[in-house]
Amino acid sequence: MPRHTRPVRGVLAMLVPMPQRAPYGSWTSPIAAAELAASGHPVDVGRFVGDEIWWSELRPAEGGRTAIRRAGPGGQPVDVLAAPWNARTRVHEYGGGAWAVTDDQRLVFAEFHDQRVYVKSAGRHPVPLTPEPPIPAGVRYGELSVVGEEVWCVRETHTQAGEVRRDVCAIPLDGAAADDASAIRSIVAGSDFLAYPTLSPDGRRLAWIAWDHPQMPWDGTELRIAELDGDGVCGPWRVLLGGVEESVLQPQWHGDDSLYAISDRSGWWNIHRVGLDGAAPQPVCAAAGDFGAPLWQLGARWYTELADGRLLAVRTVGTDALTVIDPADGTAHDLDMGDLTTVAVSDVDGERLLLRCGGAGTPAGLRLLDLASGTLADVRLGVESLPPAGYLPTAQPITVTGPQGREVHAFAYPPRNPDFVGLDGELPPYVAFVHGGPTAHVAPALSLVFAYFTSRGIGVVDVNYGGSSGYGREYRNRLRGQWGIVDVEDTVAAVRGLAEAGLADPERLAIEGGSAGGWTVLAALTTSDVFACGASYYGVAELEGFVQETHDFESRYIDGLIGPLPESAELYAQRAPLNNVDGLNCPVLLLQGLDDPIVPPSQAERFRDALVSKGIPHAYLAYEGEAHGFRRLQTQVSAREAELSFYGQLLGFETPGIPRLELWRPQ
């Protein structure tokens, strides 16, 4: 036997090709932008509907519409709401709760183009339940739920004078309001923003969350309740929990005389039991973890009550865990979810749960968890297929020390391709990804976008800078008054940490981000010399114009991130990347949707004009029909290929098979 060992190894060595040495960034990859975009269809909320499961799904190949689908024969998806219908609400512009289902399985949804509410029966075309508004798409409805023969929801009304009003309203399911707005009953108003209208089991009381400018829902909200009169309208309300320095989320009735609600009064979003008798709310399970997250979209849920009275909840400290809480004694135990790092609760039916989840090695999608057996089954994943595992990156958590000794959390994804290794003595280029929000949160993820870069020899580092959620209120509050400073410092600290550890080439660092992340990109490029280039997707470039032009939900957001006007006008000018272009000495790629109501095209166009004035090489790609976040297949392909070509030109590597992006250069 021993004498056969050497020849067998020789045969294996001949069958397994040795990786080829090639410069980082120039490696060939099976992950093309077209395939990456075409095979992706992010799955959102799922619901149990009779014996079926329905869900919403983004369809990039269908103009970026949101379809409602169900599992058909053999588990193949079938449209419940087929093209061209698009179930998407523009309440707060970020939407949420765009569809619901009646007991007899009729679909109720908000149509994106006109923002009216429609009802669709099986085999029939949708018919409107709300009238055509005086201003196109000027009356919007979100967080839809069916209550008897009505649809209850949050309504957002835009007036000819430019004012925005919101209330909780009831829309009759019989179509009486399709041509008569007066048939819609206003249940409660009285604040700038409302969310989570929740009816008590006996139908006597309504609970909801409310807040006013300049608060954002992760800063401070109130849990309110009121009695409903005989006409189904709220009387005077009282506040049970919350304030300007306490964020309360997701009220849920527990019987007729108490509620559960999430509050961050301890410094972490914990679930509390709230009585109606004025007694102090009590934490159900006091823990150093977040059982909630920033309310960017209406209807978000982080816990649900099971049939036996226990609570199933998502707890976040860097990554997500699914935990079962016994409210009787506050004990909790985590469920074994394998490598899942991101979990969201969608719906519950007895001991069956629908979860939107994904992990470091598991694609995101909708899955069915059976609590009795512990099995987790795929319902619909966000991708049709995956490249071979060897081309997918692996996440490495890192923690670096930023200014003032603060910890900065991030996840590094080194280059990975079984066919290639870098040249001797060469360090890879890295791109720092900066999330939006800026309250968003990133966890280890199987990201094909990251794989698009890492499989070509470009490392990625995904940064949870100060201001990110998932680490408690103190971590979120680090960005108060410090936007453009802490986010930049923390991102710089993360890439410098990689370079100092000998993992990244310090001369070939890039940065990319969208929305608030785009602001950080532009701020980092104009106030530091760490990056060789950067790509801003619909990023904020200046502030005084932004607060005048952006939508109502975020129109006072900058009050907390930098300061209120007019007192902070000087700070607005100092922080704005547009006003610091003199400190910029590297090229920039600007990508912008021309229909973006959140960060209007004027932001990118002003920055482009400043780049031209200074003679800095750049490219500006503007996309018709795209808003805040690119949804169309052709846009996604164009943007990703442009970004790769841009990095190749600036970081010094070839990009085989990728169209060359033409940069504007001074004559």
Side-chain angles (χ1 to χ4, degrees), residues 229-550:
D229 65 19
D231 295 323
V233 175
C234 283
W237 68 71
R238 57 193 177 105
V239 177
L240 297 182
L241 189 63
V244 295
E245 289 293 334
E246 179 181 1
S247 172
V248 183
L249 303 167
Q250 196 190 338
Q252 185 168 311
W253 286 96
H254 179 60
D256 293 318
D257 298 313
S258 68
L259 302 102
Y260 292 120
I262 299 169
S263 165
D264 69 351
R265 56 174 42 203
S266 70
W268 298 88
W269 270 309
N270 281 189
I271 303 170
H272 288 69
R273 187 183 288 108
V274 187
L276 307 187
D277 57 3
Q282 297 299 315
V284 173
C285 175
D290 275 333
F291 292 84
L295 186 65
W296 282 100
Q297 291 189 303
L298 292 173
R301 301 174 68 190
W302 295 275
Y303 72 94
T304 189
E305 188 171 9
L306 302 175
D308 61 6
R310 294 178 301 163
L311 300 179
L312 182 130
V314 177
R315 186 188 70 252
T316 307
V317 185
T319 58
D320 291 348
L322 196 63
T323 188
V324 177
I325 303 170
D326 186 345
D329 58 14
T331 58
H333 71 274
D334 291 348
L335 302 181
D336 182 3
M337 301 297 290
D339 83 330
L340 296 180
T341 56
T342 303
V343 183
V345 177
S346 252
D347 201 4
V348 60
D349 177 27
E351 292 198 324
R352 300 191 308 154
L353 289 122
L354 282 175
L355 304 173
R356 288 178 293 125
C357 50
T362 304
L366 186 67
R367 293 180 170 87
L368 176 64
L369 173 64
D370 188 311
L371 283 175
S373 65
T375 58
L376 189 67
D378 296 344
V379 176
R380 176 65 167 166
L381 301 184
V383 292
E384 293 290 343
S385 60
L386 290 173
Y391 297 97
L392 299 175
T394 56
Q396 299 178 1
I398 63 171
T399 300
V400 299
T401 301
Q404 289 81 52
R406 62 178 180 263
E407 285 189 341
V408 180
H409 303 286
F411 299 95
Y413 298 81
R416 188 167 186 243
N417 184 319
D419 306 323
F420 292 93
V421 293
L423 301 178
D424 285 340
E426 182 191 21
L427 290 173
Y430 259 78
V431 180
F433 273 64
V434 186
H435 65 64
T439 61
H441 171 78
V442 295
L446 196 165
S447 165
L448 292 185
V449 171
F450 292 174
Y452 181 74
F453 293 108
T454 57
S455 62
R456 289 171 165 81
I458 306 164
V460 166
V461 59
D462 209 8
V463 186
N464 277 319
Y465 52 85
S468 303
S469 55
Y471 300 95
R473 183 163 185 128
E474 184 276 331
Y475 201 88
R476 293 199 317 273
N477 283 353
R478 290 181 185 181
L479 210 56
R480 279 198 172 181
Q482 298 297 307
W483 196 37
I485 296 178
V486 165
D487 48 328
V488 170
E489 291 177 344
D490 288 1
T491 305
V492 167
V495 296
R496 278 183 171 158
L498 290 172
E500 290 168 1
L503 302 174
D505 186 341
E507 301 301 319
R508 295 195 293 169
L509 300 173
I511 182 171
E512 82 107 79
S515 190
W519 156 277
T520 303
V521 167
L522 300 178
L525 295 178
T526 53
T527 60
S528 78
D529 58 1
V530 173
F531 299 101
C533 58
S536 169
Y537 284 73
Y538 34 88
V540 178
E542 61 82 50
L543 295 174
E544 292 198 40
F546 171 75
V547 297
Q548 295 171 5
E549 297 166 350
T550 192

Side-chain angles (χ1 to χ4, degrees), residues 57-99:
E57 180 177 318
L58 174 63
R59 305 292 297 164
E62 298 174 18
R65 80 179 184 99
T66 297
I68 309 301
R69 314 191 85 190
R70 62 177 178 84
Q76 291 302 306
V78 175
D79 278 345
V80 176
L81 186 67
W85 296 95
N86 187 350
R88 182 178 162 206
T89 172
R90 288 182 58 188
V91 174
H92 297 177
E93 295 298 349
Y94 295 100
W99 61 285

